[in-house]
């Protein structure tokens, strides 16, 4: 299928205007999340003035008024000119409350200013004589951003739908097994595994020390004694872990890895012969033309991949730079090449694929 679309100059201009306007509006949506303005407005019992909204949010009225103007122009907030009051219609509220589990677009909006912080550095990477990539440290609170996105899925789907959907896994977790969460970040999934399956031993692995520190603090505050966090490269796991784990969990980590081939080899080594591997990753196709009829939000994946996934992988010498849209066909091929048989299904509650793997016999 060809990627070209026939349109007129006027149609394309309108399309381009909508894209660019949406980019600017997205920054204001992100501010609405970060400042708590959406929380305030989604819980109002009646339309209120900008002064009242600012007081409820503990913010300056002048800035809130300008934000409200942007939200009115974006058709997100409704305005009554006679009374100079603002409100969000009830049917829009579920889409604007990021913790509701119904929509993540307001959370994705926060990614625009975060990724924009590396705009000039990324432009240098494009140059033939520029740097190969960028370090994670270049990004402002990238892990916090990802934790916000992931927690929505973890809290609403991981224990309730994902685990029960894997044959025999819940029974094994209840009885007590060894679990490895690769690329655990701040420990969102690890904490839930440990809380819900106290007979199992949970290991969280990440190469970012600040993430491991935070994950460990959260576990201590929750009183979780069956959880262990380790700061280590996943492509070089502890040598004493041979055949240690019954279940390995990877959530959106494989495509970001500089050395996914080494990561899979290490995963194969630390898994028991009858172990299970869950890789949650791309739900797109490997060929660009096959993605044209997917959800319009697939474009977000390409932009995030360009801005983060590819440069952080290529920052390492010999990094593969798979990117977020490397595609499920290529993923299955790579998993097979490294000794895994896998079944591919849709991950509940997301557009990602679930690659359920076992060691090939």
């Amino acid at each position: 299928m060809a990627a070209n679309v026939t349109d007129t100059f006027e149609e394309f201009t309108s399309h381009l205007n909508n894209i660019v306007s949406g980019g600017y509006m997205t920054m204001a949506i992100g501010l609405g999340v970060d400042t708590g303005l959406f929380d305030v407005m989604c819980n109002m019992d009646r339309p209120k003035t900008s002064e009242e909204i600012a007081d409820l949010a503990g913010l300056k009225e002048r800035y809130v008024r300008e934000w409200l103007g942007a939200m009115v122009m974006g058709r997100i907030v409704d305005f009554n000119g006679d009374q100079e009051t603002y409100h969000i219609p009830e049917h829009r509220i579920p889409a604007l409350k990021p913790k509701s589990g119904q929509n993540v677009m307001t959370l994705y909006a926060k990614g625009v200013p975060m990724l924009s912080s590396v705009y000039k550095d990324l432009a240098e990477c494009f140059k033939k004589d520029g740097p190969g990539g960028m370090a994670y440290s270049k990004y402002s609170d990238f892990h916090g951003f990802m934790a916000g996105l992931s927690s929505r899925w973890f809290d609403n789907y991981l224990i309730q739908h994902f685990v029960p959907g894997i044959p025999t896994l819940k029974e094994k977790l209840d009885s007590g097994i060894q679990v490895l969460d690769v690329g655990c970040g701040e420990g969102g999934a690890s904490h839930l595994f440990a809380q819900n399956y106290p007979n199992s031993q949970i290991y969280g692995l990440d190469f970012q020390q600040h993430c491991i520190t935070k994950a460990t603090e959260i576990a201590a505050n929750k009183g979780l004694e069956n959880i262990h966090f380790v700061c280590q490269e996943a492509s070089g796991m502890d040598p004493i872990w041979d055949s240690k784990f019954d279940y390995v969990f990877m959530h959106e980590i494989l495509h970001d890895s500089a050395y996914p081939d080494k990561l899979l080899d290490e995963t194969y080594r630390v898994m028991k012969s009858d172990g299970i591997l869950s890789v949650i990753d791309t739900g797109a196709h490997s060929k660009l033309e096959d993605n044209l009829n997917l959800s319009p939000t697939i474009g977000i994946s390409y932009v995030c991949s360009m801005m983060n996934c590819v440069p952080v992988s290529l920052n390492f010498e010999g990094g593969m730079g798979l990117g977020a849209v490397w595609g499920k066909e290529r993923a299955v091929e790579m998993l097979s090449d490294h000794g895994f048989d896998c079944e591919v299904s849709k991950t509940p509650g997301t557009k990602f694929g679930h690659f359920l793997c076992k060691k090939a016999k």
Side-chain angles (χ1 to χ4, degrees):
M1 179 178 180
N4 298 322
V5 178
T6 301
D7 53 17
T8 66
F9 170 79
E10 290 76 14
E11 289 170 338
F12 175 73
T13 300
S14 176
H15 173 65
L16 186 61
N17 289 346
N18 289 336
I19 291 175
V20 176
S21 297
Y24 279 83
M25 195 63 65
T26 298
M27 289 192 288
I29 293 172
L31 273 173
V33 176
D34 278 335
T35 59
L37 279 163
F38 280 132
D39 284 337
V40 166
M41 295 199 70
C42 287
N43 288 296
M44 294 191 322
D45 57 354
R46 60 174 176 80
K48 296 183 185 293
T49 65
S50 60
E51 189 72 50
E52 291 175 312
I53 294 169
D55 287 344
L56 285 171
L59 302 170
K60 296 173 183 173
E61 187 276 338
R62 183 64 190 90
Y63 286 94
V64 171
R65 187 177 0 130
E66 209 69 7
W67 178 82
L68 286 165
M71 291 298 96
V72 171
M73 292 301 105
R75 306 295 190 268
I76 294 170
V77 170
D78 283 1
F79 176 62
N80 185 314
D82 293 333
Q83 299 178 0
E84 295 191 350
T85 57
Y86 305 82
H87 79 286
I88 297 174
E90 187 174 352
H91 71 277
R92 297 178 190 166
I93 289 176
L96 294 170
K97 295 181 74 173
K99 293 182 180 179
S100 69
Q102 297 185 37
N103 199 303
V104 294
M105 282 298 104
T106 49
L107 292 176
Y108 270 112
K110 296 174 62 176
V112 172
M114 183 273 296
L115 291 174
S116 296
S117 67
V118 300
Y119 180 89
K120 291 185 177 180
D121 294 294
L122 180 67
E124 291 298 311
C125 292
F126 270 71
K127 298 177 181 178
K128 286 191 175 182
D129 60 349
M134 290 185 292
Y136 274 105
S137 58
K138 284 281 188 179
Y139 297 83
S140 57
D141 194 31
F142 180 79
H143 279 89
F145 167 70
M146 288 304 299
L149 283 177
S150 299
S151 65
R152 172 259 180 190
W153 185 79
F154 293 154
D155 292 344
N156 291 281
Y157 292 93
L158 179 61
I159 304 302
Q160 300 92 321
H161 305 284
F162 182 76
V163 168
I166 300 174
T168 74
L169 179 59
K170 184 181 183 303
E171 292 77 12
K172 291 178 179 178
L173 287 164
D174 284 332
S175 297
I177 58 174
Q178 303 286 320
V179 177
L180 176 62
D181 180 7
V182 178
C184 65
E186 297 178 356
S190 296
H191 296 136
L192 286 170
F193 279 126
Q195 281 179 304
N196 287 275
Y197 307 108
N199 293 326
S200 291
Q201 293 296 313
I202 315 300
Y203 289 76
L205 182 71
D206 203 284
F207 78 102
Q208 295 281 352
Q209 183 60 59
H210 65 90
C211 289
I212 292 298
T213 300
K214 186 167 184 179
T216 302
E217 291 174 353
I218 294 172
N221 291 335
K222 292 178 177 289
L224 300 174
E225 298 182 354
N226 61 327
I227 196 166
H228 321 273
F229 288 105
V230 180
C231 185
Q232 197 171 61
E233 290 281 355
S235 56
M237 298 184 203
D238 196 319
I240 68 171
W241 282 358
D242 283 357
S243 302
K244 178 179 179 65
F245 296 103
D246 302 273
Y247 180 58
V248 180
F249 179 76
M250 294 185 193
H251 183 261
E252 294 186 63
I253 190 66
L254 187 58
H255 72 263
D256 279 332
S257 175
Y259 313 113
D261 50 348
K262 295 179 181 178
L263 169 55
L264 290 177
D265 286 342
E266 283 292 271
T267 301
Y268 188 96
R269 176 179 68 82
V270 302
M271 278 176 59
K272 292 182 179 179
S273 59
D274 59 348
I276 301 171
L277 165 65
S278 283
V279 176
I280 298 176
D281 210 287
T282 178
H285 296 285
S286 297
K287 291 183 178 180
L288 177 63
E289 60 267 29
D290 292 337
N291 292 327
L292 287 172
N293 292 323
L294 296 181
S295 165
T297 58
I298 186 66
I300 295 176
S301 297
Y302 278 98
V303 174
C304 288
S305 184
M306 174 188 69
M307 297 291 293
N308 176 263
C309 305
V310 169
V312 297
S313 176
L314 294 181
N315 189 54
F316 295 86
E317 185 176 356
M320 291 185 67
L322 290 176
V325 204
W326 60 311
K328 52 191 176 183
E329 295 85 3
R330 190 176 176 191
V332 169
E333 181 180 2
M334 180 175 283
L335 287 162
S336 177
D337 287 345
H338 291 273
F340 294 99
D341 289 331
C342 68
E343 298 178 1
V344 186
S345 60
K346 182 180 177 182
T347 302
T350 80
K351 293 182 174 64
F352 292 109
H354 176 208
F355 302 82
L356 180 60
C357 307
K358 296 181 180 180
K359 288 185 174 182
K361 302 300 183 183

